[in-house]
Amino acid sequence: NKMESPTKDSKRRVAVYGGAYDPIQNAHLTCAAEIIHSGAAEEVWLVPCGPRPDKPKLKTPPIDRYVMCQIAVNTMFSPDFPIKVSDAECFGSEAMFTYDLLSLLREKHPDTEFVFVIGTDWLQEDTNIAKWDSKNHAWKAGDPEDQKTIITGDKLLEEFHFLVVRRPGYEVTKTSEDPTGLKRFGPKLHWLDMPDNMSFVEGNLSSTEVRKRNGLPQGFTRIEGLVPPGVLAYIKRGGLYR
């Protein structure tokens, strides 16, 4: 169940690669580049998330995470390489639910087909995309708190394609009835596969590891080579993750 490359008559296809990017690191950039090299999308948009009250560890202001993404993309890729940073979410008052983000992008860019990038870590037993929420825009002060959100995961799976990246340690079971292993999760999930006998280059680097190392004595020297030099300089100058 491989995602076919766009044809010249189809809409421009953009892969939406969301995340906290706290901070952006080299594995993020490699994955974004591999999406382009796979031919599954014509552009990749990195979308740093907005404020997340549910993630108390996410203390870095959105402006810093956004600027680090821009530094990374503009210093690590050539100017015509189609990877961009989108501010669609990060400067809002709160992070957007996935369906709301994709619906907003679709509304703003009707000439574009948006594909959402997920890892196999999102396809485990304890995760069910069909139960994902959206903001209930009809909710008003005084209404029950549990009505602030509504379930839109079913619409998300029906209306948008997903590009699935294999993550080390998170397997998806394949069966004779479901040889791709993805059909049981939804009708529009596709593996990120590489053409022309290329192998997908993956990394196990995480932003958590970068933050952890940077908090150690001489931390700045311990993340050298894990983040782009410009991002390292920004972290140093701002005293981030200390």
Side-chain angles (χ1 to χ4, degrees):
N1 198 27
K2 179 178 181 280
M3 188 140 223
E4 297 299 324
S5 296
T7 64
K8 63 177 173 48
D9 298 322
S10 60
K11 286 184 175 183
R12 173 183 64 154
R13 185 183 295 156
V14 170
V16 176
Y17 187 13
Y21 296 112
D22 189 31
I24 191 165
Q25 33 81 1
N26 291 349
H28 291 135
L29 300 171
T30 300
C31 183
E34 287 292 74
I35 292 169
I36 296 299
H37 297 319
S38 75
E42 290 153 291
E43 292 182 14
V44 175
W45 291 4
L46 306 182
V47 186
C49 72
R52 291 277 300 270
D54 61 313
K55 278 186 129 178
K57 289 182 181 173
L58 181 56
K59 297 187 177 80
T60 316
I63 183 67
D64 288 324
R65 295 183 285 110
Y66 175 78
V67 169
M68 286 189 283
C69 285
Q70 287 285 16
I71 291 169
V73 166
N74 285 289
T75 59
M76 296 297 283
F77 299 125
S78 55
D80 57 349
F81 198 60
I83 295 179
K84 301 176 180 176
V85 184
S86 166
D87 63 359
E89 180 181 341
C90 65
F91 297 130
S93 58
E94 58 189 353
M96 294 180 74
F97 292 96
T98 303
Y99 182 72
D100 298 344
L101 169 64
L102 293 173
S103 297
L104 173 72
L105 291 172
R106 179 174 59 186
E107 191 180 310
K108 281 188 170 181
H109 308 277
D111 59 335
T112 301
E113 176 189 21
F114 289 100
V115 180
F116 194 63
V117 179
I118 61 171
T120 46
D121 48 326
W122 290 21
L123 300 179
Q124 301 304 300
E125 295 304 321
D126 56 347
T127 305
N128 184 354
I129 296 174
K131 297 255 175 69
W132 285 8
D133 289 343
S134 273
K135 189 172 184 177
N136 181 2
H137 294 282
W139 187 90
K140 55 191 183 301
D143 288 349
E145 285 290 312
D146 62 0
Q147 291 179 14
K148 266 189 170 180
T149 60
I150 51 175
I151 291 175
T152 52
D154 51 343
K155 291 166 74 175
L156 175 64
L157 289 165
E158 283 167 20
E159 294 176 24
F160 294 97
H161 287 272
F162 288 74
L163 191 58
V164 182
V165 178
R166 293 170 178 85
R167 297 267 191 245
Y170 296 96
E171 300 303 319
V172 169
T173 306
K174 299 177 182 179
T175 63
S176 53
E177 295 82 32
D178 185 4
T180 67
L182 297 178
K183 282 184 185 167
R184 64 193 169 102
F185 298 106
K188 294 185 173 182
L189 275 70
H190 315 270
W191 287 112
L192 174 62
D193 285 323
M194 304 302 288
D196 304 323
N197 207 27
M198 293 192 288
S199 298
F200 175 69
V201 176
E202 63 187 1
N204 65 350
L205 176 59
S206 67
S207 297
T208 304
E209 179 67 18
V210 172
R211 293 195 305 273
K212 182 178 78 177
R213 288 188 184 202
N214 202 61
L216 297 170
Q218 294 88 45
F220 297 132
T221 64
R222 299 184 187 212
I223 61 171
E224 187 93 41
L226 306 185
V227 297
V231 171
L232 178 61
Y234 189 92
I235 291 172
K236 274 185 181 177
R237 192 167 64 244
L240 302 179
Y241 312 118
R242 299 300 289 164

Short mmCIF file of all heavy atoms in Angstrom, two decimals, residues 95-124:
data_model
loop_
_atom_site.label_atom_id
_atom_site.label_comp_id
_atom_site.label_asym_id
_atom_site.label_seq_id
_atom_site.Cartn_x
_atom_site.Cartn_y
_atom_site.Cartn_z
N ALA A 95 -2.38 24.65 20.86
CA ALA A 95 -2.11 23.69 19.79
C ALA A 95 -3.42 23.27 19.13
O ALA A 95 -4.48 23.28 19.76
CB ALA A 95 -1.39 22.46 20.37
N MET A 96 -3.34 22.93 17.85
CA MET A 96 -4.54 22.52 17.12
C MET A 96 -4.64 21.01 17.08
O MET A 96 -3.63 20.31 17.01
CB MET A 96 -4.48 23.07 15.68
CG MET A 96 -4.55 24.57 15.60
SD MET A 96 -4.48 25.16 13.89
CE MET A 96 -6.14 24.74 13.34
N PHE A 97 -5.87 20.52 17.12
CA PHE A 97 -6.10 19.11 16.90
C PHE A 97 -5.81 18.80 15.42
O PHE A 97 -5.94 19.67 14.55
CB PHE A 97 -7.54 18.73 17.24
CG PHE A 97 -7.86 18.84 18.71
CD1 PHE A 97 -8.46 19.99 19.23
CD2 PHE A 97 -7.56 17.80 19.58
CE1 PHE A 97 -8.75 20.09 20.58
CE2 PHE A 97 -7.85 17.89 20.93
CZ PHE A 97 -8.44 19.04 21.44
N THR A 98 -5.42 17.56 15.14
CA THR A 98 -4.96 17.21 13.80
C THR A 98 -6.01 17.49 12.73
O THR A 98 -5.70 18.08 11.69
CB THR A 98 -4.54 15.73 13.76
OG1 THR A 98 -3.55 15.50 14.76
CG2 THR A 98 -3.98 15.35 12.40
N TYR A 99 -7.25 17.08 12.97
CA TYR A 99 -8.29 17.30 11.96
C TYR A 99 -8.50 18.80 11.72
O TYR A 99 -8.68 19.24 10.57
CB TYR A 99 -9.61 16.64 12.38
CG TYR A 99 -10.71 16.80 11.37
CD1 TYR A 99 -10.68 16.08 10.16
CD2 TYR A 99 -11.77 17.68 11.58
CE1 TYR A 99 -11.68 16.23 9.22
CE2 TYR A 99 -12.78 17.84 10.64
CZ TYR A 99 -12.73 17.11 9.45
OH TYR A 99 -13.72 17.27 8.51
N ASP A 100 -8.45 19.59 12.80
CA ASP A 100 -8.65 21.04 12.66
C ASP A 100 -7.51 21.67 11.86
O ASP A 100 -7.73 22.54 11.02
CB ASP A 100 -8.74 21.69 14.04
CG ASP A 100 -9.93 21.18 14.84
OD1 ASP A 100 -10.84 20.57 14.24
OD2 ASP A 100 -9.95 21.37 16.07
N LEU A 101 -6.28 21.22 12.12
CA LEU A 101 -5.12 21.74 11.39
C LEU A 101 -5.23 21.42 9.90
O LEU A 101 -5.07 22.30 9.04
CB LEU A 101 -3.83 21.15 11.96
CG LEU A 101 -2.55 21.40 11.15
CD1 LEU A 101 -2.22 22.88 11.09
CD2 LEU A 101 -1.38 20.61 11.71
N LEU A 102 -5.50 20.16 9.58
CA LEU A 102 -5.57 19.75 8.18
C LEU A 102 -6.74 20.42 7.46
O LEU A 102 -6.63 20.79 6.29
CB LEU A 102 -5.66 18.23 8.07
CG LEU A 102 -4.41 17.47 8.52
CD1 LEU A 102 -4.66 15.97 8.53
CD2 LEU A 102 -3.21 17.79 7.63
N SER A 103 -7.86 20.60 8.17
CA SER A 103 -9.02 21.27 7.57
C SER A 103 -8.70 22.73 7.28
O SER A 103 -9.08 23.28 6.23
CB SER A 103 -10.23 21.18 8.50
OG SER A 103 -10.63 19.83 8.68
N LEU A 104 -7.97 23.38 8.21
CA LEU A 104 -7.56 24.77 7.99
C LEU A 104 -6.64 24.89 6.79
O LEU A 104 -6.81 25.77 5.93
CB LEU A 104 -6.85 25.29 9.25
CG LEU A 104 -6.21 26.68 9.12
CD1 LEU A 104 -7.29 27.76 9.08
CD2 LEU A 104 -5.26 26.95 10.28
N LEU A 105 -5.66 24.00 6.69
CA LEU A 105 -4.73 24.03 5.56
C LEU A 105 -5.48 23.79 4.24
O LEU A 105 -5.22 24.46 3.24
CB LEU A 105 -3.63 22.99 5.76
CG LEU A 105 -2.64 23.27 6.89
CD1 LEU A 105 -1.71 22.07 7.10
CD2 LEU A 105 -1.82 24.53 6.59
N ARG A 106 -6.39 22.84 4.25
CA ARG A 106 -7.18 22.52 3.04
C ARG A 106 -8.00 23.73 2.60
O ARG A 106 -8.12 24.02 1.40
CB ARG A 106 -8.07 21.32 3.33
CG ARG A 106 -8.97 20.89 2.19
CD ARG A 106 -9.72 19.61 2.52
NE ARG A 106 -10.55 19.74 3.71
CZ ARG A 106 -11.21 18.74 4.27
NH1 ARG A 106 -11.11 17.52 3.77
NH2 ARG A 106 -11.94 18.93 5.34
N GLU A 107 -8.56 24.44 3.58
CA GLU A 107 -9.37 25.62 3.28
C GLU A 107 -8.51 26.75 2.71
O GLU A 107 -8.90 27.44 1.76
CB GLU A 107 -10.03 26.08 4.60
CG GLU A 107 -11.10 27.12 4.44
CD GLU A 107 -11.69 27.49 5.81
OE1 GLU A 107 -12.05 26.58 6.58
OE2 GLU A 107 -11.72 28.70 6.11
N LYS A 108 -7.30 26.93 3.28
CA LYS A 108 -6.41 28.01 2.84
C LYS A 108 -5.75 27.70 1.50
O LYS A 108 -5.37 28.61 0.77
CB LYS A 108 -5.31 28.23 3.88
CG LYS A 108 -5.74 29.04 5.09
CD LYS A 108 -4.51 29.35 5.94
CE LYS A 108 -4.84 30.35 7.03
NZ LYS A 108 -3.65 30.68 7.85
N HIS A 109 -5.57 26.42 1.19
CA HIS A 109 -4.84 26.01 -0.01
C HIS A 109 -5.66 24.97 -0.78
O HIS A 109 -5.32 23.78 -0.80
CB HIS A 109 -3.47 25.44 0.36
CG HIS A 109 -2.65 26.33 1.25
ND1 HIS A 109 -1.88 27.36 0.77
CD2 HIS A 109 -2.50 26.33 2.60
CE1 HIS A 109 -1.28 27.97 1.77
NE2 HIS A 109 -1.64 27.38 2.89
N PRO A 110 -6.74 25.40 -1.43
CA PRO A 110 -7.63 24.43 -2.10
C PRO A 110 -6.96 23.70 -3.27
O PRO A 110 -7.46 22.67 -3.71
CB PRO A 110 -8.80 25.30 -2.59
CG PRO A 110 -8.29 26.70 -2.58
CD PRO A 110 -7.25 26.78 -1.51
N ASP A 111 -5.82 24.23 -3.75
CA ASP A 111 -5.13 23.59 -4.88
C ASP A 111 -4.16 22.51 -4.42
O ASP A 111 -3.40 21.96 -5.22
CB ASP A 111 -4.34 24.66 -5.66
CG ASP A 111 -3.31 25.37 -4.78
OD1 ASP A 111 -3.50 25.41 -3.54
OD2 ASP A 111 -2.30 25.86 -5.32
N THR A 112 -4.17 22.21 -3.12
CA THR A 112 -3.17 21.31 -2.54
C THR A 112 -3.82 20.12 -1.86
O THR A 112 -4.85 20.27 -1.18
CB THR A 112 -2.31 22.08 -1.52
OG1 THR A 112 -1.69 23.19 -2.19
CG2 THR A 112 -1.23 21.20 -0.91
N GLU A 113 -3.23 18.95 -2.05
CA GLU A 113 -3.64 17.75 -1.30
C GLU A 113 -2.68 17.57 -0.13
O GLU A 113 -1.46 17.47 -0.33
CB GLU A 113 -3.58 16.51 -2.20
CG GLU A 113 -3.91 15.22 -1.47
CD GLU A 113 -3.64 13.97 -2.29
OE1 GLU A 113 -2.84 14.04 -3.25
OE2 GLU A 113 -4.21 12.93 -1.96
N PHE A 114 -3.22 17.54 1.08
CA PHE A 114 -2.38 17.42 2.27
C PHE A 114 -2.38 15.98 2.78
O PHE A 114 -3.43 15.35 2.88
CB PHE A 114 -2.85 18.38 3.37
CG PHE A 114 -2.57 19.81 3.04
CD1 PHE A 114 -3.57 20.63 2.54
CD2 PHE A 114 -1.29 20.34 3.20
CE1 PHE A 114 -3.30 21.96 2.21
CE2 PHE A 114 -1.01 21.66 2.88
CZ PHE A 114 -2.02 22.47 2.38
N VAL A 115 -1.18 15.51 3.07
CA VAL A 115 -0.97 14.15 3.58
C VAL A 115 -0.32 14.29 4.95
O VAL A 115 0.63 15.08 5.11
CB VAL A 115 -0.02 13.36 2.64
CG1 VAL A 115 0.22 11.96 3.17
CG2 VAL A 115 -0.58 13.33 1.24
N PHE A 116 -0.82 13.58 5.95
CA PHE A 116 -0.31 13.74 7.31
C PHE A 116 0.70 12.63 7.62
O PHE A 116 0.43 11.45 7.40
CB PHE A 116 -1.46 13.69 8.32
CG PHE A 116 -1.07 14.17 9.70
CD1 PHE A 116 -0.66 15.47 9.91
CD2 PHE A 116 -1.11 13.30 10.78
CE1 PHE A 116 -0.30 15.91 11.18
CE2 PHE A 116 -0.75 13.73 12.05
CZ PHE A 116 -0.35 15.04 12.26
N VAL A 117 1.87 13.03 8.12
CA VAL A 117 2.95 12.08 8.40
C VAL A 117 2.80 11.57 9.85
O VAL A 117 2.70 12.36 10.79
CB VAL A 117 4.33 12.76 8.24
CG1 VAL A 117 5.44 11.77 8.56
CG2 VAL A 117 4.48 13.31 6.82
N ILE A 118 2.77 10.25 9.99
CA ILE A 118 2.77 9.65 11.33
C ILE A 118 3.82 8.54 11.36
O ILE A 118 4.24 8.03 10.32
CB ILE A 118 1.39 9.06 11.73
CG1 ILE A 118 0.96 7.94 10.76
CG2 ILE A 118 0.33 10.14 11.80
CD1 ILE A 118 -0.27 7.18 11.22
N GLY A 119 4.22 8.17 12.56
CA GLY A 119 5.13 7.04 12.73
C GLY A 119 4.36 5.82 13.19
O GLY A 119 3.21 5.92 13.64
N THR A 120 4.98 4.65 13.07
CA THR A 120 4.30 3.43 13.52
C THR A 120 4.07 3.44 15.03
O THR A 120 3.28 2.63 15.54
CB THR A 120 5.11 2.18 13.13
OG1 THR A 120 6.50 2.38 13.46
CG2 THR A 120 5.00 1.88 11.65
N ASP A 121 4.73 4.35 15.76
CA ASP A 121 4.45 4.46 17.20
C ASP A 121 3.03 4.96 17.45
O ASP A 121 2.51 4.81 18.56
CB ASP A 121 5.47 5.40 17.88
CG ASP A 121 5.67 6.71 17.15
OD1 ASP A 121 5.59 6.72 15.91
OD2 ASP A 121 5.91 7.73 17.82
N TRP A 122 2.38 5.51 16.42
CA TRP A 122 0.99 5.94 16.55
C TRP A 122 0.01 4.84 16.16
O TRP A 122 -1.20 5.06 16.16
CB TRP A 122 0.73 7.18 15.68
CG TRP A 122 1.40 8.42 16.19
CD1 TRP A 122 2.47 8.50 17.04
CD2 TRP A 122 1.06 9.77 15.87
NE1 TRP A 122 2.82 9.81 17.26
CE2 TRP A 122 1.96 10.62 16.54
CE3 TRP A 122 0.07 10.35 15.07
CZ2 TRP A 122 1.92 12.00 16.46
CZ3 TRP A 122 0.03 11.72 14.97
CH2 TRP A 122 0.94 12.55 15.66
N LEU A 123 0.52 3.70 15.77
CA LEU A 123 -0.34 2.59 15.32
C LEU A 123 -0.20 1.39 16.26
O LEU A 123 -0.20 0.25 15.81
CB LEU A 123 0.01 2.19 13.88
CG LEU A 123 -0.15 3.28 12.82
CD1 LEU A 123 0.26 2.76 11.45
CD2 LEU A 123 -1.58 3.82 12.78
N GLN A 124 -0.09 1.67 17.54
CA GLN A 124 0.03 0.61 18.53
C GLN A 124 -1.31 0.38 19.22
O GLN A 124 -2.27 1.14 19.03
CB GLN A 124 1.13 0.96 19.54
CG GLN A 124 2.51 1.19 18.89
CD GLN A 124 2.99 0.00 18.07
OE1 GLN A 124 3.14 -1.10 18.59
NE2 GLN A 124 3.21 0.20 16.78
#
